[in-house]
Amino acid sequence: MAVGCDAFAAPLDHDPDAPIKVIPTDERSPVRADPLPPPVAGGTLAVVASGTLAVASDPARDRVSVVDLEERTLRHTVRLRKGDEPGRMAQDAAGRVHVVLRGAGEIATLDVTAGRIAMRRQVCRTPRGIAYDNGVDALHVTCAEGQLVQLPAAGGNVTRKVAVPIDVRDAVLHAGRLYLSRFRSAELLSVGPDGGVVSGKTRIPEGFSEPGIHSHPHPGTKLIQVRAGSTHGPPPERRFEPNGAWRTISAGAGLVMLHQQAEASQIQLEASAADPHDPRGAATSPYGDNGQGCGGIVRTALTTFVTGVGTAPANGPVLTTSVRGSVLGVDVAADPTGRLVAVAFAGERDLAAPAPRNVFADTFGGPAHPEIVAVRGSGAPSTAVVVYDRLAVGAESMHPGLKCVRGSPMPVQGQPVAVAYTPDSRLVVQSREPATLTLLDEHNPAAAGTVTIALGGTSVADTGHDLFHRDTGQGIACAGCHLEGSDDGHVWSFSGFGRRRTQALDVGLDGTQPFHWDGALDGLDALMDEVFVGRMGGVWQSPERMEALRDWLFALEPRPAPRSQADPAVKRGAKLFASADLACATCHSGPKLTDNSSQDVGTGRPGERFQVPSLRAIAYRAPFMHDGCAQTLRQRFDKACGGDRHGRTSRLSPAQLDDLVAYLESL
């Protein structure tokens, strides 16, 4: 019944006074892109210093567009090589724009006047962020494998490579100091003149985000819990942890990080309306916000690290708040006055999709009165781009009564992936599909001067890509936990299951079934039934749409490993891994480095078995194991994470363990 007609998610012996939840099937014809577009990464737009031109990277079409903001026309389309995947950009003092080519491991230098690539230079395996340092006329490039690379802006070879923590993302110059963000952990690192990390990690304070729960805005202090009064008793405690630092920028007196907040308190998977204290009410979706707009298990947040000249962020306050908008906030920009910040949400709900509904009847099959569940009216404003008052954002951190900050929705079309401001405070929005730039006056978004500039090119619309990134209708998207098609590094707590770390998708999923840590889901269809429909509040998909999703997911590949397999330590570790004495390769075998079996490795309840995960690109996936018991690969070999029940490693020397870790970092 899940295909071709509505399906009921309630037993036949239901309470006649309670509604029956009806879940339809989306039968719309799928659309396919060739080649398949990469996951959304955001942050692909820059306005040159003069304010006359906007430069937009397009990773799905492997091109860069140069738009004249005064003439409001597309000036140049710069074609790149297939698979270059252009991303972040930085302009130098000579007016050149340097573009990170994530897929090629290079930096392309663009002559924006002529609309051509002046040079390309190899930098590292996984370049992500870039910043121009006027003091030394050089570029700083972050590499996710754990490198900070410096090269001359005018041309020439890399002048310095410094080891930094893995999974670094943005490089930001602020008040004479260089800062780096880390993607999954949402940490900020301060860098010294020699390129080394000098202040260690500044992590956003953890705290409760529900009304009546308040965490002190300064790091390193204890949580202060203030419970609001209620006729039904105190609200339940819902604790959230920061992760997913999509974009970090310099703004006014500090740095602003756009990131996510993931629920750290236990998630009740059983749908129940029995608890009147539950702010989610009658739970139509254990993962979603159920129409509340800011109450799901993944939320968008803004954090300001207040700094001074030469001052590390750890010495100043850290102000964090949830913000209300759509889902999957992937880019942030601050206007020149420092008063406003704009956020691009790439996961706005598809309003043309069918939605679940409640049906009331005296008896099953009798006269029914449908009630729409969690559907926004077609006349409601888009929440895909929202502008927030920074004072209101800061106030959320200081006052316990606010749930999350509202902003002003901007009228844009398509799927926004990047935002930027001009020097005169006009907001520029880049949409991925269709490929456009929208120029707005945020003080008067309905002004006649608001224009949309088409960037041309073939459509990259793809149903699989859409299903992965779009809001299911309950304020949650697959991409909210599986960042950029991979994972978020978060360990969830589920009723009935315990602690479960998000599993990575970019390992070459095809052939690694069954899915989930307990191996209970034999394929993608079962996964969609259990998670997309059952937990995320989505609707069933036709076989054709499921095939589009399967093709897109199975095309995801791991990023290059941090270590070279030519490293002598890696070669020694490979021999240890393959040895019969350790027995690692018994389960972690084959091209995906998994035999797809379930094993008891001593980390769960007695006799509890877990799926053998793929080890491809394992170095990026801290913490490790199903419950996150190891913060590092070295800790994976501690007794607390299974000990000799998970490979006989206790007899290895410290040097041998180092070699084994080196090998894992090369996979």
Side-chain angles (χ1 to χ4, degrees):
M1 290 181 68
V3 178
C5 62
D6 288 345
F8 291 89
L12 298 185
D13 57 349
H14 73 288
D15 181 348
D17 295 325
I20 304 168
K21 184 180 179 182
V22 180
I23 303 174
T25 297
D26 193 334
E27 297 281 3
R28 293 176 297 169
S29 297
V31 292
R32 313 292 281 270
D34 185 17
L36 293 170
V40 170
T44 51
L45 179 65
V47 173
V48 301
S50 66
T52 59
L53 299 175
V55 186
S57 294
D58 189 340
R61 299 174 179 85
D62 287 316
R63 69 182 186 185
V64 177
S65 301
V66 181
V67 172
D68 189 319
L69 297 178
E70 293 182 334
E71 298 294 329
R72 300 179 178 183
T73 58
L74 174 64
R75 180 180 288 187
H76 301 294
T77 299
V78 183
R79 305 290 178 184
L80 298 168
R81 300 169 189 167
K82 184 178 179 180
D84 273 346
E85 200 174 326
R88 302 280 202 263
M89 291 170 285
Q91 184 185 20
D92 66 24
R96 296 174 291 247
V97 173
H98 306 272
V99 186
V100 171
L101 303 182
R102 291 171 57 126
E106 300 178 5
I107 298 298
T109 299
L110 176 64
D111 180 339
V112 292
T113 302
R116 66 180 183 87
I117 297 295
M119 59 182 149
R120 296 172 60 124
R121 289 176 282 178
Q122 191 74 33
V123 283
C124 58
R125 295 186 183 92
T126 55
R128 291 296 182 263
I130 187 169
Y132 172 67
D133 190 336
N134 188 52
V136 293
D137 193 30
L139 302 170
H140 300 290
V141 180
T142 57
C143 304
E145 70 259 34
Q147 285 190 332
L148 176 63
V149 178
Q150 182 176 308
L151 63 163
N157 296 325
V158 170
T159 57
R160 184 173 66 188
K161 286 188 177 182
V162 178
V164 295
I166 204 167
D167 204 29
V168 287
R169 189 169 180 86
D170 281 311
V172 185
L173 265 297
H174 177 79
R177 185 186 289 267
L178 178 63
Y179 297 95
L180 312 179
S181 66
R182 297 187 71 197
F183 189 30
R184 286 167 179 76
S185 60
E187 294 167 335
L188 195 66
L189 311 177
S190 178
V191 178
D194 62 350
V197 175
V198 295
S199 71
K201 299 181 289 187
T202 298
R203 176 135 181 160
I204 300 165
E206 300 172 3
F208 295 97
S209 296
E210 287 296 85
I213 306 297
H214 170 50
S215 63
H216 198 278
H218 294 269
T221 60
K222 295 181 179 179
L223 296 177
I224 303 171
Q225 300 180 16
V226 182
R227 300 180 183 275
S230 170
T231 56
H232 300 291
E237 297 175 352
R238 297 186 65 196
R239 188 166 60 87
F240 287 79
E241 295 177 346
N243 71 353
W246 286 94
R247 188 72 191 273
T248 304
I249 60 172
S250 174
L255 294 96
V256 172
M257 178 185 286
L258 173 72
H259 62 94
Q260 297 182 170
Q261 292 174 316
E263 183 145 14
S265 44
Q266 188 178 82
I267 298 168
Q268 301 299 318
L269 295 182
E270 303 83 2
S272 172
D275 185 0
H277 302 159
D278 188 341
R280 289 173 289 191
T284 59
S285 163
Y287 285 6
D289 64 10
N290 303 303
Q292 294 198 8
C294 206
I297 65 170
V298 177
R299 304 178 178 184
T300 297
L302 288 168
T303 288
T304 297
F305 299 89
V306 181
T307 70
V309 176
T311 301
N315 298 329
V318 180
L319 307 174
T320 300
T321 184
S322 301
V323 293
R324 186 182 295 270
S326 186
V327 304
L328 203 63
V330 296
D331 196 24
V332 63
D335 82 320
T337 69
R339 186 177 66 85
L340 303 173
V341 287
V343 174
F345 294 91
E348 188 175 40
R349 185 182 177 196
D350 180 0
L351 292 177
R357 64 185 184 273
N358 285 340
V359 173
F360 294 86
D362 292 333
T363 58
F364 186 81
H369 306 284
E371 175 189 286
I372 301 300
V373 178
V375 176
R376 188 174 59 226
S378 59
S382 166
T383 55
V385 175
V386 182
V387 173
Y388 302 94
D389 187 322
R390 288 186 68 190
L391 293 177
V393 170
E396 160 69 355
S397 290
M398 310 300 290
H399 300 288
L402 298 176
K403 184 171 183 180
C404 69
V405 171
R406 295 178 181 269
S408 302
M410 296 288 104
V412 297
Q413 296 179 342
Q415 183 183 26
V417 290
V419 285
Y421 276 99
T422 65
D424 60 353
S425 295
R426 290 178 296 168
L427 179 61
V428 186
V429 179
Q430 177 190 2
S431 290
R432 187 193 75 91
E433 174 63 29
T436 61
L437 284 192
T438 302
L439 184 61
L440 304 121
D441 178 353
E442 76 279 1
H443 301 291
N444 185 13
T450 297
V451 294
T452 298
I453 303 162
L455 303 182
T458 58
S459 171
V460 293
D462 184 85
T463 296
H465 187 278
D466 243 26
L467 286 170
F468 183 80
H469 289 88
R470 295 281 188 182
D471 182 355
T472 63
Q474 290 293 322
I476 190 80
C478 303
C481 296
H482 297 283
L483 311 181
E484 292 189 0
S486 185
D487 67 277
D488 59 1
H490 187 61
V491 181
W492 306 87
S493 176
F494 296 117
S495 61
F497 289 93
R499 291 169 61 79
R500 294 290 187 270
R501 188 207 185 283
T502 304
Q503 292 182 299
L505 303 181
D506 55 344
V507 295
L509 278 181
D510 192 14
T512 65
Q513 300 90 327
F515 298 134
H516 271 196
W517 281 108
D518 58 5
L521 305 177
D522 59 7
L524 188 60
D525 290 336
L527 182 68
M528 287 289 282
D529 287 350
E530 170 70 20
V531 180
F532 189 82
V533 177
R535 301 186 189 181
M536 297 172 62
V539 300
W540 279 296
Q541 304 294 316
S542 69
E544 295 78 15
R545 294 174 66 83
M546 282 293 299
E547 189 64 28
L549 177 62
R550 183 177 289 105
D551 288 349
W552 190 84
L553 286 174
F554 286 3
L556 295 172
E557 286 292 325
R559 76 210 75 182
R563 285 238 194 181
S564 168
Q565 294 197 344
D567 187 322
V570 169
K571 293 181 178 180
R572 294 191 299 268
K575 292 180 180 179
L576 289 168
F577 187 88
S579 69
D581 187 46
L582 295 188
C584 302
T586 302
C587 298
H588 293 288
S589 58
K592 305 293 176 66
L593 295 171
T594 174
D595 65 357
N596 304 326
S597 67
S598 293
Q599 301 291 335
D600 179 0
V601 293
T603 57
R605 294 182 288 264
E608 192 171 16
R609 294 175 173 269
F610 299 101
Q611 272 284 290
V612 176
S614 169
L615 296 184
R616 298 180 73 186
I618 186 66
Y620 296 101
R621 303 207 297 270
F624 304 99
M625 308 297 290
H626 79 279
D627 59 355
C629 61
Q631 293 299 313
T632 66
L633 282 171
R634 183 64 179 270
Q635 290 176 2
R636 145 63 196 94
F637 302 108
D638 293 347
K639 290 182 179 179
C641 283
D644 279 352
R645 295 187 65 180
H646 191 177
R648 296 183 287 270
T649 59
S650 63
R651 289 171 288 178
L652 297 182
S653 69
Q656 288 176 312
L657 284 175
D658 288 343
D659 290 343
L660 190 54
V661 168
Y663 173 68
L664 293 174
E665 291 175 341
S666 75
L667 298 175

